[in-house]
Amino acid sequence: QKEVEQNSGPLSVPEGAIASLNCTYSDRGSQSFFWYRQYSGKSPELIMFIYSNGDKEDGRFTAQLNKASQYVSLLIRDSQPSDSATYLCAVNYLDSNYQLIWGAGTKLIIKP
Amino acid sequence: EADIYQTPRYLVIGTGKKITLECSQTMGHDKMYWYQQDPGMELHLIHYSYGVNSTEKGDLSSESTVSRIRTEHFPLTLESARPSHTSQYLCASSERQGGADTQYFGPGTRLTVL
């Protein structure tokens, strides 16, 4: 089992709706969780990160952690066509010496 | 947020050539990373450094080498390029924000070996 798993998609969401992206992780004393956005042909850019102790909201983006089921979600409200990209989840495990363990990414398509 | 620069942005080169991909950051971050990513595929860590004179190999076996003589500079070298090295190479550096080690990426170098 991979340590960080994401559904590769594509996930298709109509414009203006809420896009919900999930990422499951292994329980290794996970410390912090990251969401990056990557447009085709570009490098990943940080959206936000959360710790093991709470959720976070930043504008249209909300990251939520479900420890019992071992997954982290990214919700995008009022989805825009410009949100169409691949979303990468990464986890910083306590025993990984600050390295990020990356998921393969979920491709999101926002349909106008 | 980090300012990270990579040169060249695009490189097309013949088999057997020696190449060096440059990566520099201006924020004084101690930790730097090199990733390899094929189109539509996941990131693979090939090298990382936690400071000057510190380099380690990542999870993906790579024929490349790196050096870290200065904090701001982390070049990657391929002694003899092969078509299998064709890929996108991404450099990143990280800083501690609260309890999280946050990585920031450069624009990448797209390498094609003929």
Side-chain angles (χ1 to χ4, degrees), chain B residues 77-93:
Chain B
T77 298
L78 276 166
E79 291 293 332
S80 180
R82 294 209 305 265
S84 61
H85 296 139
T86 294
S87 189
Q88 167 125 307
Y89 292 84
L90 294 164
C91 180
S93 69

Side-chain angles (χ1 to χ4, degrees), chain A:
Chain A
Q1 182 186 1
K2 294 188 73 173
E3 294 170 305
V4 180
E5 293 208 55
Q6 296 181 258
N7 188 316
S8 61
L11 174 65
S12 184
V13 174
E15 183 177 358
I18 295 175
S20 178
L21 303 159
N22 286 340
C23 166
T24 60
Y25 62 93
S26 300
D27 184 13
R28 280 171 47 196
S30 308
Q31 186 173 28
S32 45
F33 305 84
F34 298 77
W35 283 102
Y36 284 77
R37 176 175 62 198
Q38 186 175 26
Y39 292 112
S40 180
K42 303 294 185 182
S43 57
E45 53 182 341
L46 178 70
I47 299 173
M48 63 196 316
F49 66 89
I50 59 172
Y51 300 108
S52 296
N53 60 355
D55 302 339
K56 184 190 243 184
E57 181 177 320
D58 184 0
R60 295 186 298 114
F61 298 91
T62 299
Q64 297 176 327
L65 179 63
N66 186 316
K67 286 185 186 179
S69 300
Q70 291 177 220
Y71 72 85
V72 58
S73 300
L74 179 71
L75 303 176
I76 307 175
R77 288 182 299 280
D78 188 22
S79 299
Q80 303 296 312
S82 59
D83 294 326
S84 297
T86 296
Y87 289 78
L88 304 174
C89 170
V91 180
N92 175 206
Y93 290 101
L94 284 172
D95 62 358
S96 70
N97 202 15
Y98 305 123
Q99 289 182 34
L100 290 181
I101 310 300
W102 295 86
T106 298
K107 184 172 184 178
L108 175 66
I109 298 172
I110 306 299
K111 291 190 171 181

